[in-house]
Amino acid sequence: MRDARSQTTNSATKARRAIVIGGSLGGLFAGNMLRSVGWNVDIFERSAGDLDSRGGGIVLQPDVVEVFRRSQATLDKSVLGVQSRYRTVFRPDGSIESKHIAPQTQTSWSLIYTTLKAAFGEEHYHRAKTLLRVEQDEAQRNVTAIFDDNTREVGDLLIGADGGNSTVRRQYWPHMQPRYAGYIAWRGLLAEDRMSPVSRDTLHGDFGFANNKGSHILGYLVPGADNDVRPGHRIYNWVWYRVVDEKMLAEVMTDRDGKSRGYAIPEGLLAERWVDHVHREAQNLLPPGFRDVVQATPQPFAQAIRDLASDRMVSGRAIILGDAASIPRPHTAASTLKAAANAIALADELAASPDDVDAALAQWEPPQVMYGKYLEKQGVETGNYLLFRNSARQVSG
């Protein structure tokens, strides 16, 4: 990776324009990083409203902090996240299997999003813009995004940061689609002051884990509302992996209004049948601390675990990054990290070759593809060991 932070961008670079498809974390990483090396950037997000209410906990990684730094984001280091000191693994009966010192910081999706969004600003962040297709001229020097409101945007580079179901990826590499891994993640967020005494005694302040047959759960504290990290105002974030066959998957991903959601059910939309299912299984499979936090969570949500590692990330002046290019399993704690790393490397290459975008992209693509494949391998090995080593391949509801 070239580090061109100290280089001064010339006037040709400053005149270049990037069109970013997707206004979530990947798009904001890319938008802020390209701005930091002199590019004009516009972000186009299909949702009409703000995305601030989405998501759960994230382990804070150095590349994310580096994007904050280079973006000159207004940052109070005291509220970057919640510290944990130990990693503790529990047996199903609640006894401790292992405990060791492993300090780290847990943050929230919301904190990263709001920080990056504030750094980027509102003027060039466009909502309710759904991409239909991308067009490039014969020389592949200009790229045009065509939206469903009949508007067109032309730039020197188009960045598909539009997630696992990327429209940009489907257009250029339709054969590269995410594959279901055979299990899902039930997820939940519980206000710290609603944790039971046993949950506080066993889980509070640590990064906790517990394994069972076809079951793996983890949890930790993250910032609360308005990114509040004060004790008593934080949120306990838990993620519970369960082996699920494809028939049950389709049923879980049908929300409480009967709408199929594909591979993710947002908070508040999980059908009541599955809320009851999660609470009931917690009683049978989880140690007391985790059991209590899961059963106390009124609105769990869900996501299917999928695998994707693209062979290509560049086609002319259209590229993909973040989850649009590869989806590492959550066990790697690397989805947000990878999106930030993709964006940092892209900005470095473009700054190092300010007069030759194509050369910069040719330098950028191979290591990013390799990184995605490495994380895919790491995630598959970890997830299959945790979920399938002692379980039947399929569990039905």
Side-chain angles (χ1 to χ4, degrees), residues 179-183 304-307 329 384 388 393:
R179 305 173 305 280
Y180 178 51
Y183 59 102
I305 305 305
R306 299 190 291 169
D307 295 316
R329 295 192 191 181
N384 288 352
F388 299 122
R393 180 65 190 181

Side-chain angles (χ1 to χ4, degrees), residues 114-388:
T114 54
T115 301
L116 292 172
K117 184 71 163 36
F120 189 80
E122 292 288 341
E123 183 179 358
H124 295 279
Y125 187 101
H126 312 279
R127 296 177 176 83
K129 302 289 289 188
T130 298
L131 180 72
L132 292 180
R133 67 184 185 278
V134 179
E135 293 181 353
Q136 300 193 51
D137 60 20
E138 289 185 7
Q140 294 187 320
R141 292 294 183 269
N142 292 313
V143 61
T144 302
I146 301 170
F147 298 94
D148 67 350
D149 59 1
N150 296 317
T151 59
R152 302 164 70 95
E153 298 287 341
V154 180
D156 300 282
L157 179 65
L158 182 139
I159 300 171
D162 47 344
N165 298 319
S166 169
T167 299
V168 179
R169 190 191 65 243
R170 287 201 307 269
Q171 175 174 332
Y172 286 100
W173 303 281
H175 62 286
M176 295 192 307
Q177 297 299 326
R179 305 173 305 280
Y180 178 51
Y183 59 102
I184 69 172
W186 300 115
R187 302 179 63 108
L189 300 167
L190 181 69
E192 181 181 11
D193 61 7
R194 293 190 59 191
M195 295 177 72
S196 71
V198 68
S199 296
R200 284 178 172 271
D201 288 345
T202 57
L203 303 176
H204 200 264
D206 291 346
F207 200 122
F209 302 86
N211 301 317
N212 208 328
K213 187 175 182 179
S215 166
H216 175 68
I217 191 169
L218 59 91
Y220 47 83
L221 288 167
V222 298
D226 300 319
N227 303 322
D228 197 337
V229 297
R230 292 176 297 163
H233 298 262
R234 299 167 297 188
I235 291 173
Y236 193 80
N237 172 82
W238 57 266
V239 184
W240 186 14
Y241 301 102
R242 290 287 284 129
V243 181
V244 164
D245 65 25
E246 294 200 23
K247 178 178 181 297
M248 180 176 169
L249 174 67
E251 295 172 357
V252 170
M253 293 299 158
T254 301
D255 70 19
R256 59 181 50 197
D257 298 320
K259 178 182 177 181
S260 176
R261 292 276 175 168
Y263 293 96
I265 294 282
E267 188 177 17
L269 291 178
L270 187 66
E272 197 61 35
R273 165 193 176 190
W274 297 111
V275 174
D276 294 340
H277 172 89
V278 172
H279 291 166
R280 185 173 62 252
E281 285 214 317
Q283 185 68 39
N284 299 324
L285 293 171
L286 299 180
F290 278 120
R291 179 196 64 210
D292 288 359
V293 294
V294 170
Q295 291 182 329
T297 302
Q299 297 292 342
F301 46 111
Q303 71 179 98
I305 305 305
R306 299 190 291 169
D307 295 316
L308 173 69
S310 298
D311 298 319
R312 297 294 310 278
M313 295 171 64
V314 176
S315 181
R317 291 294 180 87
I319 73 170
I320 52 175
L321 52 68
D323 283 354
S326 60
I327 307 174
R329 295 192 191 181
H331 319 291
T332 63
S335 180
T336 303
L337 164 67
K338 177 180 57 61
N342 290 161
I344 291 170
L346 178 63
D348 287 347
E349 293 295 353
L350 290 170
S353 301
D355 299 317
D356 195 338
V357 173
D358 300 305
L361 297 180
Q363 288 288 329
W364 173 79
E365 182 182 31
Q368 306 312 309
V369 169
M370 289 178 61
Y371 188 30
K373 289 185 177 297
Y374 164 77
L375 291 174
E376 178 188 44
K377 183 175 183 293
Q378 184 184 63
V380 168
E381 290 176 352
T382 303
N384 288 352
Y385 175 77
L386 291 169
L387 274 301
F388 299 122

Side-chain angles (χ1 to χ4, degrees), residues 93-121:
D93 65 2
S95 61
I96 293 177
E97 181 176 320
S98 67
K99 183 170 185 173
H100 63 275
I101 295 177
Q104 65 180 37
T105 301
Q106 295 85 230
T107 190
S108 66
W109 188 99
S110 176
L111 188 149
I112 297 174
Y113 173 82
T114 54
T115 301
L116 292 172
K117 184 71 163 36
F120 189 80

